């Protein structure tokens, strides 16, 4: 999966080597349509949460930036999405309790680890589509084990 995500990131940020970009354009359009509904909010304090799903950042930040995308359950039961800039760690486990420190929304474009694969109809779909469209509350934070 990491290999696929790395290749996707490379293809996204590299010049095209073929004439047919329809699959890449389709994925970009899907990502844009997913993200447009997210409701961003700022954490006021450090919170304790339970990991539901964690996708590490695509690549180490440098010329461009990427962030991990983690679905967590808050103490009140609510599910939210937490974006953590440059977090390459894949050592988070489902149901693991961690803390989230507040973090400012970066003023740069940040790539997120969406995972698209072809379905039985040979169309690309998000492997996390249930969370992509059902968990809208999104914040920037720092994951602390």
């Amino acid at each position: 999966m990491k290999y696929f995500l790395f290749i996707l990131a490379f293809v996204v940020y590299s010049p095209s080597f073929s004439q047919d970009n329809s699959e890449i354009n389709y994925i970009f359009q899907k990502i844009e349509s997913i993200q447009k509904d997210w409701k961003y909010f700022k954490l006021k304090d450090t919170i304790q949460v339970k990991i539901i799903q964690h996708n590490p950042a695509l690549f180490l930040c440098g010329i461009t930036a990427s962030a991990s995308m983690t679905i967590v359950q808050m103490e009140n039961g609510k599910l939210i999405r937490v974006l953590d800039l440059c977090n390459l760690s894949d050592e988070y486990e489902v149901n693991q309790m961690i803390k989230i420190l507040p973090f400012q929304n970066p003023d740069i474009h940040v790539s997120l680890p969406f995972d698209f694969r072809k379905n039985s109809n040979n169309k690309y779909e998000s492997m996390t589509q249930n969370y992509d469209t059902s968990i809208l509350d999104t914040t920037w934070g720092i994951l602390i084990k």
Side-chain angles (χ1 to χ4, degrees), residues 12-28:
V12 167
Y13 289 102
S14 298
S16 176
F17 296 112
S18 70
Q19 296 298 323
D20 183 13
N21 289 324
S22 59
E23 289 181 345
I24 294 170
N25 289 335
Y26 174 78
I27 291 172
F28 276 142

Side-chain angles (χ1 to χ4, degrees), residues 46-62:
T46 300
I47 59 172
Q48 184 152 344
V49 297
K50 179 170 64 172
I51 299 283
I52 303 300
Q53 178 184 352
H54 174 75
N55 297 322
L58 298 171
F59 47 84
L60 186 61
C61 292

Side-chain angles (χ1 to χ4, degrees), residues 74-88:
M74 298 173 35
E75 289 178 333
N76 65 6
K78 183 177 181 176
L79 297 177
I80 64 170
R81 176 181 299 98
V82 179
L83 306 176
D84 186 2
L85 194 62
C86 307
N87 182 352
L88 294 171

Side-chain angles (χ1 to χ4, degrees), residues 51 54 87 89-94 96 98 143-145:
I51 299 283
H54 174 75
N87 182 352
S89 178
D90 62 357
E91 297 178 9
Y92 300 98
E93 297 179 22
V94 173
Q96 178 182 4
I98 64 166
L143 281 63
I144 305 293
K145 293 183 187 180

